[in-house]
């Protein structure tokens, strides 16, 4: 498994302090969040693409990791991701380039993982 | 015609100082820009939605005007726009609410214009 | 009544398109929002001050209007607001100065309104 | 005199609430601010160009007005400004375009004012 | 001592290049900075909370480390911090979640350190 | 060679996924980019300083690395960089301080490298 996926899973394995805190805001936000991504007039995949674009422009590395994993599960192709990267470059400017590079490298890592997983199963 | 469309067109009617300046960067950027929105693995409509989401989060009012006009031409429905608005609210936070309100009001203005245009033609 | 308050109320008088849209995300967010400001270990006033500081740094003018009105209702004093403005200047940098100027002028408008209201009642 | 210059001067004509407030932070910041722009190893003009670029990317309209007026006084040429605009477009992305358009129009307004002033004097 | 505290102290142990540079701006800013946090109509603790909220939204990790250490010294409780985190989530949007998670983990690290320190003393 | 330079070079040694992707947007952007930095009415050095200031305010660490290397090649002095740092502090606010510290440390690393390189040659 790739290094960035592993780091992300380790993070996911931490105790969820917000949930355990009993603070109602976190609980409600956790309920609200998946509703925003539900299959609707826009598909879940399109919504994940939108969230990815915002995360790139806001430079939230862990958000990008999360949405790229989701998009992999939703079978977004490399070409789709690169067209999104190209658009965020034009709209967001050259300061997003390092983020795009890391994102493209991570997307490739995920592809590789998926390929190996598929081979293992057969 | 709605007030915000008119203001936008007035702006468009101004001399294009950048083009006239002979500065090569503006010329090249003007050529590059439409390429990023071309129909590809992602549709032009999806790309316009991505640009709209970024523009909302960066709070670029004139960018929003432009992309909403484009999305109207591409026949994006009200439900599609509202699902995008809902997503940017969750991802972008409550500081985008005033921008979303103005955007929704403007989208309605555009719908109204389109309806009247259609009636005039018949 | 001051001009900016009036403009804000006019906005509030508009149809609430998001509520009417039936989109569940807006409904849930509208329920979640007041929970975040509830009197708790931090007071509602402190939470409004936090929201004001974020709104200044993100340059969301209508958010600032809203939180200044709320803080007026919660009887935040001019000195408290100016200490907050001073802090956001140091933390946020000189690009927040124009926003701070408009905010201070608006806070004075609200004070004036409150004073006149109090005089009318006696 | 152009409209945007006038609006800016009107703003300048307002009472300086921060100075009058007696809050020490504003006083000290007001002393610190000009030091950052002093002629040094970098010229005042270069520093004003840097401040203008940041103001464009942070979309602070009144900051831009201020720095363009300063740069006019320092005799920055139209070509210099357009090269700066071109750079902020590439680094900052297409969301700065509306800001750049308004900035270029305002720079022209300032040029026009200067030309008329020069003619009046002769 | 926790890892993040250690890294922060190591950073603090570096030569203060700005102070040594003799550049007057850094010197004046260093004098101005503590004034903004002085006990006033707003308490130092409230001001630190404001600075923390801005740092979260601007995603400045080292700023967050600094303000969390300060808030620990000022005896801010876990509940107070979680209410602030909840508010920044609602106002700032889901892109702050990874930052909030790391901040909560670090706040716990600081609590643990304080507890052990207290035990050692008795 | 310093650690940060090495990390940067390693990144540069990665396959250029965007170029290889055949996506026309990346190709065109790669052509456009150097044009924005060409010696013109503003010097290449001034343009690199502008890009550095924007990168600091947008907190793009790899962008800063890149522009500091370029500015080293263009023989920008330590004093010039510190005056730029001082200005971005005043305009950008205290949240840029950690970024400035790392940038100053890296600039020193580059100076050191250059000095050793010069000694080796003689």
């Amino acid at each position: 498994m790739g290094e960035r996926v592993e780091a992300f899973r380790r993070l996911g394995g931490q105790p969820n302090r917000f949930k355990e805190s009993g603070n109602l805001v976190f609980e409600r936000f956790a309920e609200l969040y998946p509703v925003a991504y539900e299959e609707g007039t826009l598909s879940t995949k399109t919504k994940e693409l939108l969230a990815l674009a915002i995360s790139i422009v806001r430079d939230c590395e862990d958000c990008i990791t999360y949405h790229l994993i989701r998009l992999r599960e939703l079978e977004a192709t490399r070409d789709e991701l690169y067209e999104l990267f190209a658009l965020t470059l034009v709209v967001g400017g050259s300061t997003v380039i390092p983020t795009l590079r890391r994102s493209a490298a991570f997307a490739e890592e995920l592809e590789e993982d998926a390929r190996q997983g598929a081979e293992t199963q057969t």
Side-chain angles (χ1 to χ4, degrees), chain A residues 6 10 15 22 26 31 35 45 50 54-55 71 73 78 80 83 105 110 114-115 121:
Chain A
E6 266 185 274
R10 224 169 19 243
F26 295 114
E31 283 162 24
V35 182
K45 193 170 111 181
L50 292 169
I54 297 173
S55 301
L71 282 161
E73 291 166 359
R78 188 193 288 207
E80 287 176 317
E83 292 190 12
L110 287 173
R115 205 173 303 129
Q121 287 190 310

Side-chain angles (χ1 to χ4, degrees), chain A residues 1-2 72 78 105-119:
Chain A
M1 205 185 342
R72 178 80 238 150
R78 188 193 288 207
F106 178 57
E108 203 172 298
E109 217 183 87
L110 287 173
E111 259 183 72
E112 198 53 48
D113 272 14
R115 205 173 303 129
Q116 288 177 356
E119 278 166 21

Side-chain angles (χ1 to χ4, degrees), chain A residues 32-78:
Chain A
L32 165 66
Y33 189 82
V35 182
Y37 291 89
E38 266 171 20
E39 199 72 24
T41 321
L42 297 179
S43 67
T44 295
K45 193 170 111 181
T46 299
K47 290 174 177 182
E48 286 288 344
L49 292 169
L50 292 169
L52 178 59
I54 297 173
S55 301
I56 288 169
V57 164
R58 282 216 178 153
D59 196 17
C60 174
E61 197 86 0
D62 287 323
C63 305
I64 295 169
T65 305
Y66 173 77
H67 293 299
L68 282 175
I69 291 175
R70 290 285 295 128
L71 282 161
R72 178 80 238 150
E73 291 166 359
L74 296 162
E75 304 188 345
T77 65
R78 188 193 288 207

Side-chain angles (χ1 to χ4, degrees), chain A residues 70-111:
Chain A
R70 290 285 295 128
L71 282 161
R72 178 80 238 150
E73 291 166 359
L74 296 162
E75 304 188 345
T77 65
R78 188 193 288 207
D79 280 355
E80 287 176 317
L81 294 180
Y82 274 58
E83 292 190 12
L84 179 145
F85 293 157
L87 192 88
T88 56
L89 173 59
V90 170
V91 180
S94 70
T95 53
V96 307
I97 292 176
T99 302
L100 291 184
R101 281 204 184 151
R102 282 193 297 270
S103 302
F106 178 57
E108 203 172 298
E109 217 183 87
L110 287 173
E111 259 183 72

